[in-house]
Amino acid sequence: MKTPADIITRLQLMSQDGTKSDRKLAGFVLADLDFVSKAAISEIAARVGISEPTVTRFCRNLGCEGLRDFKFYLAQAIAIGGQYLSPEPLSRDAREQRIASAITEAAISAIQRASENLDMTTLVAVAARIAVSGNVLCIGSGGISSMMATEMQNRLFRLGVSVLAQIDGQLQCMYAAVATPDTTLIAFSVSGYARSVIDAVQVAQQYGATTIAITPPDSALAKVADTVIHFQSLEDGNIYKPTSSRYALLSIVDMIVTSVAETRGPRVLENLRRIKQSVNTLKVDDPRLPLGD
């Protein structure tokens, strides 16, 4: 029998498309997950007003062997995504200010935590390596990590560094396969378990590349990279708000790039001048605008 991959989705579908008793029982389960995850079959049957064999058939219709198996997957779903199943209603009082405060305060806190836990000696050493690399490959998969890989490329190219970002899993390994001892690979992973990123790091190492990971300590990626800049994402429990960890990770990117720029010194200035000149000529002649942003 096929194991349920997402028991909550199966329950939701069952509540709409199942038999009359299945719809009734699925609706009951979704309305009181905590009770069902702990109750005996007799308690569930009595509460819904059905027979115990009907409860067993319901579990099997969901792809489970029986109630015990069903409750295992239900408990697992509650542990993983329970906070999204019974969210507290949004308050309308001072909503605009509350949203602004939630975003800005969480971003500031995330950046401060990242700064306090950074090993700046390691970060500066990483920047020194990037500054003299023949080429740099930035990789990351998923929303935040892929964005940071691309942003690292965006920041390094203007300093005269030969850099490429790759966020496609298969291409990450392909580009890693043409690395040389003059290559520096920078791997981003908020979880530390992105398989394609780990594989690419190991492939690049076969060809002598220096590998750097920005990821949680003791993660799978941290264990394979040559050098690790520790980054631990901590969520604040606001399930309606995008994660603030990306602000912290972006601050680390900016620290690395600033150190690279200072290491390379005055030779980066001509590139920056040219970019500023092209942007201001083609757009608005205002020297106060950011450099190419």
Side-chain angles (χ1 to χ4, degrees):
M1 188 172 292
K2 190 175 180 181
T3 301
D6 183 350
I7 197 69
I8 298 299
T9 295
R10 293 198 176 202
L11 283 166
Q12 291 168 342
L13 292 173
M14 185 75 77
S15 69
Q16 299 173 13
D17 303 326
T19 64
K20 182 177 180 180
S21 60
D22 282 347
R23 292 198 305 271
K24 184 177 182 181
L25 190 46
F28 172 75
V29 173
L30 290 169
D32 200 343
L33 295 169
D34 185 62
F35 170 78
V36 176
S37 67
K38 300 172 183 176
I41 188 170
S42 59
E43 295 175 310
I44 296 173
R47 185 74 69 89
V48 182
I50 57 177
S51 67
E52 293 181 18
T54 300
V55 176
T56 300
R57 283 195 299 271
F58 169 79
C59 294
R60 290 175 178 169
N61 288 341
L62 286 168
C64 303
E65 295 179 2
L67 181 61
R68 182 177 179 179
D69 193 39
F70 166 69
K71 289 169 70 174
F72 168 79
Y73 289 108
L74 187 62
Q76 187 180 62
I78 294 171
I80 294 172
Q83 62 179 333
Y84 300 100
L85 298 174
S86 300
E88 295 182 3
L90 289 174
S91 170
R92 297 179 64 89
D93 297 337
R95 184 166 179 262
E96 293 83 359
Q97 183 58 45
R98 179 172 51 77
I99 291 174
S101 297
I103 297 299
T104 55
E105 291 173 8
I108 292 169
S109 296
I111 293 171
Q112 288 177 334
R113 282 196 303 270
S115 178
E116 291 167 359
N117 295 320
L118 267 183
D119 180 348
M120 287 303 297
T121 300
T122 299
L123 187 145
V124 170
V126 164
R129 165 63 192 181
I130 294 170
V132 298
S133 296
N135 58 86
V136 175
L137 175 62
C138 306
I139 62 174
S141 297
I144 299 174
S145 297
S146 61
M147 181 175 70
M148 292 304 150
T150 304
E151 179 63 5
M152 181 66 88
Q153 172 188 264
N154 182 36
R155 295 298 152 190
L156 288 178
F157 91 86
R158 63 189 72 196
L159 304 180
V161 176
S162 178
V163 57
L164 176 70
Q166 188 51 255
I167 62 175
D168 179 275
Q170 188 166 351
L171 285 173
Q172 288 170 354
C173 286
M174 292 170 65
Y175 275 92
V178 296
T180 70
D182 206 24
T183 299
T184 297
L185 183 149
I186 307 173
F188 293 89
S189 179
V190 174
S191 70
Y193 293 92
R195 189 69 254 171
S196 66
V197 174
I198 296 170
D199 290 345
V201 167
Q202 293 176 313
V203 169
Q205 288 172 332
Q206 296 179 42
Y207 301 102
T210 297
T211 59
I212 297 160
I214 304 175
T215 194
D218 301 321
S219 65
L221 178 57
K223 292 175 181 176
V224 300
D226 298 322
T227 303
V228 180
I229 294 177
H230 295 166
F231 172 75
Q232 187 69 61
S233 173
L234 295 175
E235 299 306 315
D236 56 17
N238 186 338
I239 62 175
Y240 290 100
K241 175 180 70 61
T243 176
S244 299
S245 60
R246 68 192 194 283
Y247 296 108
L249 196 51
L250 181 60
S251 72
I252 294 175
V253 169
D254 284 358
M255 292 178 203
I256 293 172
V257 172
T258 299
S259 185
V260 171
E262 292 183 353
T263 300
R264 290 177 70 84
R267 57 180 162 160
V268 307
L269 299 180
E270 177 60 14
N271 279 355
L272 299 179
R273 184 198 66 78
R274 292 185 186 185
I275 294 170
K276 190 71 171 179
Q277 175 69 25
S278 68
V279 170
N280 279 34
T281 299
L282 297 174
K283 295 183 180 179
V284 180
D285 188 11
D286 185 351
R288 296 171 298 176
L289 293 175
L291 187 66
D293 292 349

